[in-house]
Amino acid sequence: MESVILILGLLFFAFVALGVYAGVKAVGAAKRGVDRTIRQARRTVEETTLRAKSYGQTGVGGELAQLRLALRTSMRATQEALQAGAAEDASLSESLGLFKRLSVYGRELDEELKKLEREPDRATVASLLPSLKQRTERITHSADSLRWAARDRARQFSDDSLDALNAQIDVEAGALRHWTVEPDEPVQGQGGGPQGDASGRSQGQGQNRGQEQSHRSQGPGQEQRQGPGQGSGPGEGAARAITASDPRGPAGYPWQKAPRPETTN
């Protein structure tokens, strides 16, 4: 009985500890979410103010606002591009490390520009503007180079993957259209078997019909003028040349019925 009570007590304390741990984690996550929301809202308000100053304010204050806005926009876009690419491409981790080092100089310049916005001595600030512009251009150029290099790398990988996929699709499409490739058909009159015989019969019947039509179109006089060695066409001459080796054979085509011999008295 005492062991059962001890086990139940341990389970109770374990559940209580687990509940406290889960509560602490939930509170921490909620706090981080609130802090992130506050930072984003503060950054949005600050960038909106800078955009309004750069467009509506002239002189040194407007130029400082333009420099801060260009710096913050370039750095934020590069950070988002590298962080998104590093999740899929591990080789961008080194680029992300270089950007973190560059961000140190970017934050220092942003703080300096922010302080100069409240500086009452506008003449001194105006004399510092050329060097401030040069520093801003150097930082933004480095950030833009990292960002575009990461985008070009991702686009190149996407193009290579698309080319490989297109090649596989072409092969599969060719395999699906296998019925379009027909075997070589035998030449008419030269193939053996039933197909060759049928094609030969159809060709011979066509030639016989052509000969009959030519004889009907010719008159009796024309038939008499033709000599014994003249034929009605090249097919007939070729057939006679083929069958001339056997004088006892028929004078026509091999598939024609042979004439009966004459009876002698």
Side-chain angles (χ1 to χ4, degrees):
M1 187 65 181
E2 295 179 355
S3 60
V4 173
I5 296 174
L6 181 61
I7 292 173
L8 292 177
L10 292 176
L11 290 175
F12 176 76
F13 284 114
F15 281 117
V16 170
L18 183 61
V20 171
Y21 176 77
V24 171
K25 296 292 289 184
V27 170
K31 184 179 180 180
R32 288 192 298 271
V34 171
D35 294 339
R36 189 183 307 110
T37 304
I38 292 174
R39 286 195 302 268
Q40 291 178 355
R42 187 180 301 168
R43 184 180 61 189
T44 302
V45 171
E46 191 172 1
E47 290 181 356
T48 303
T49 304
L50 289 174
R51 190 172 288 107
K53 288 181 179 180
S54 62
Y55 290 124
Q57 190 175 358
T58 60
V60 178
E63 293 182 2
L64 291 174
Q66 291 178 3
L67 292 177
R68 288 190 64 194
L69 184 62
L71 177 64
R72 293 167 67 91
T73 302
S74 177
M75 297 295 288
R76 184 178 67 254
T78 304
Q79 182 180 8
E80 292 176 355
L82 292 179
Q83 288 179 351
E88 300 177 357
D89 189 0
S91 61
L92 292 179
S93 58
E94 185 177 356
S95 300
L96 191 59
L98 293 174
F99 175 75
K100 290 179 179 179
R101 294 172 57 186
L102 183 64
S103 299
V104 176
Y105 296 95
R107 283 192 294 268
E108 291 178 356
L109 179 59
D110 185 67
E111 291 294 332
E112 185 176 355
L113 293 173
K114 187 176 181 180
K115 292 177 180 179
L116 291 176
E117 285 181 350
R118 298 188 296 268
E119 179 63 36
D121 190 359
R122 293 301 179 180
T124 304
V125 176
S127 64
L128 295 176
L129 277 177
S131 61
L132 294 173
K133 289 181 180 180
Q134 185 178 4
R135 288 174 59 189
T136 304
E137 290 176 357
R138 290 176 62 185
I139 294 175
T140 55
H141 175 72
S142 298
D144 293 343
S145 298
L146 285 174
R147 182 174 70 253
W148 284 110
R151 290 178 178 177
D152 292 342
R153 180 181 178 85
R155 184 170 59 252
Q156 183 63 36
F157 284 161
S158 178
D159 292 341
D160 294 342
S161 300
L162 181 60
D163 292 340
L165 179 60
N166 288 336
Q168 293 178 0
I169 290 175
D170 292 340
V171 172
E172 182 65 20
L176 292 176
R177 294 192 182 96
H178 62 88
W179 67 85
T180 59
V181 180
E182 298 180 355
D184 295 337
E185 296 181 356
V187 181
Q188 293 184 358
Q190 297 181 2
Q195 294 182 355
D197 296 337
S199 62
R201 293 192 190 96
S202 62
Q203 184 177 3
Q205 291 175 3
Q207 291 181 357
N208 289 335
R209 293 194 189 96
Q211 291 177 3
E212 292 176 0
Q213 292 178 0
S214 63
H215 285 305
R216 290 174 183 176
S217 61
Q218 294 176 356
Q222 293 180 357
E223 293 179 358
Q224 292 176 1
R225 284 194 298 268
Q226 291 181 355
Q230 295 179 355
S232 61
E236 185 176 357
R240 289 174 181 174
I242 294 173
T243 58
S245 59
D246 189 6
R248 296 176 299 176
Y253 296 98
W255 53 82
Q256 292 179 346
K257 185 181 293 185
R260 296 180 181 180
E262 296 181 357
T263 57
T264 58
N265 294 328

